[in-house]
Amino acid sequence: MTALLTAAGLFALGVYLSALFSGAETAFYRISTLRLSFHAAAGKRRASRVLRFAEQPARFVATLLVGNNVANYLTTAAIGVAVAAFSTGGGGAPEVIATWLISPVVFVCGELLPKRLCYLAPSYFLGRQSSFLLVIFKLAAPVSIPLAGLARLLEKDDESDSRRVGGVLGRGRLIEVLDEGHRAGLLTDVQDRLTENVLHAAPGRARERATPPERAVSFPLACTRDELLAKAVALGVREVLLTAEPAGGASTVPAAEAAPFVGYVKVADVAAGDRAPRDWLRPLPRIAEGATRLEALAELRREGDAVGLLISRADGSGGGRVVGVLNERGLLRELFGRV
């Protein structure tokens, strides 16, 4: 009798933990981080705890996997104890048959049903279980932290694939957040169209919107203020590249290697002062050829420059062949202009 009670207790605990961890995993991927942030900022402790999990997703998922394995071990142990209490013969056939018969119950009650419920109400479930999950989160740290570290190491081995998967998941979560904001009246139709432009244009390669070096408007470094202003006004440009060519008027660069760009100037700066254009020289950020449009725009914004060079090899030392010239306004028009 004691063995049966022990088996029943272990089985109930195992199924409960399996339901808890399986449901938490589904709820974690379904929950809105935007809503969590709002609730945490409002001082709700449950939301703050769940937001802590969201800040360490790899470790939290590893914790749930560890908990699920413990739950499966408990259910297996319960079946073993029950079979041992009933069966007096040798061999493992009774235990295999019992496991086979009880598996549908474990699957429905410990996996399928809790996942479905947590899919429908992720915030409610994670909020109610956040205290218990936080305890498990801390207790499982010796195992979950190495597992999370291993996951990050594997991501580095295949950086392109992980970045692609992360982009797909990130885009899905972003769209979900924006839909939620639109339903709540936080986003207008114009903002919706703006977001759609970004999501469609951002993954495109920056090289597709870069000006070839030989077509970029440039002046020699030693040109005069009047020469530069006259030509810039005629061409309607706001930034002008300067090259290491000898003085002799405006030109287009026939080859980046023959006449390297040494920087650029803003026409407004030159017009506002009486100094030579070279005194207003600004550096040209160098962006890797494989960068997307959004990455290139972010790099220009981070450096605070309006023009950058797209190079065939980003080695951090200024080397590489110039394959194009990027303009911040052109990228902005591509990403945000059609609203």
Side-chain angles (χ1 to χ4, degrees):
M1 188 65 181
T2 303
L4 290 178
L5 291 176
T6 301
L10 288 175
F11 183 77
L13 180 60
V15 172
Y16 170 76
L17 291 178
S18 179
L20 175 66
F21 294 122
S22 298
E25 185 177 1
T26 300
F28 180 68
Y29 287 114
R30 279 280 298 165
I31 200 165
S32 169
T33 52
L34 179 64
R35 181 178 298 176
L36 275 179
S37 301
F38 287 154
H39 290 172
K44 295 185 178 181
R45 293 185 178 180
R46 289 181 177 179
S48 299
R49 285 192 289 264
V50 177
L51 190 61
R52 180 178 176 180
F53 301 148
E55 291 170 352
Q56 303 179 71
R59 182 183 164 189
F60 183 66
V61 172
T63 300
L64 297 179
L65 293 176
V66 171
N68 232 333
N69 277 279
V70 172
N72 292 334
Y73 175 79
L74 290 176
T75 55
T76 303
I79 294 173
V81 171
V83 170
F86 279 104
S87 177
T88 58
E95 188 170 350
V96 172
I97 295 173
T99 302
W100 180 74
L101 292 174
I102 207 68
S103 292
V105 178
V106 176
F107 175 72
V108 172
C109 298
E111 294 282 344
L112 188 61
L113 187 58
K115 282 182 178 292
R116 180 58 181 171
L117 293 175
C118 292
Y119 179 86
L120 297 174
S123 300
Y124 176 79
F125 178 83
L126 274 183
R128 288 183 62 87
Q129 303 296 335
S130 59
S131 298
F132 177 73
L133 290 173
L134 182 60
V135 173
I136 303 299
F137 187 71
K138 293 179 179 179
L139 291 177
V143 179
S144 61
I145 291 177
L147 286 176
L150 178 61
R152 285 190 291 268
L153 184 62
L154 293 176
E155 286 177 0
K156 290 181 180 179
D157 289 340
D158 196 357
E159 199 168 311
S160 60
D161 286 346
S162 63
R163 187 176 297 177
R164 190 181 303 115
V165 173
V168 171
L169 293 177
R171 176 179 295 192
R173 179 163 287 190
L174 175 61
I175 291 174
E176 182 180 340
V177 169
L178 293 173
D179 286 342
E180 193 172 315
H182 184 68
R183 289 194 300 270
L186 300 176
L187 296 177
T188 64
D189 290 336
V190 172
Q191 289 168 321
D192 280 344
R193 292 198 299 272
L194 173 74
T195 304
E196 185 177 354
N197 287 343
V198 173
L199 293 177
H200 281 83
R205 293 300 174 187
R207 186 167 186 174
E208 298 171 2
R209 292 294 178 265
T211 303
E214 63 273 12
R215 292 177 53 193
V217 178
S218 64
F219 282 79
L221 188 61
C223 69
T224 66
R225 174 177 178 273
D226 293 338
E227 289 173 342
L228 187 143
L229 289 178
K231 196 66 176 181
V233 171
L235 296 175
V237 294
R238 300 182 185 181
E239 294 87 22
V240 174
L241 296 167
L242 296 184
T243 71
E245 290 181 303
S251 65
T252 56
V253 183
E257 292 82 356
F261 299 118
V262 294
Y264 78 99
V265 295
K266 290 188 175 182
V267 176
D269 291 339
V270 177
D274 55 0
R275 292 183 288 173
R278 67 186 305 160
D279 294 333
W280 300 99
L281 192 67
R282 295 169 178 261
L284 285 164
R286 311 180 91 81
I287 302 169
E289 181 182 12
T292 64
R293 298 171 198 172
L294 192 58
E295 288 172 341
L297 178 60
E299 180 66 22
L300 290 176
R301 300 290 290 181
R302 181 164 51 249
E303 298 294 334
D305 288 301
V307 181
L309 298 180
L310 201 64
I311 60 175
S312 60
R313 177 172 50 87
D315 57 6
S317 61
R321 183 175 61 87
V322 177
V323 296
V325 178
L326 292 172
N327 187 282
E328 180 192 32
R329 282 194 310 281
L331 293 172
L332 285 172
R333 192 178 303 113
E334 175 71 20
L335 294 174
F336 306 114
R338 305 191 203 106
V339 294

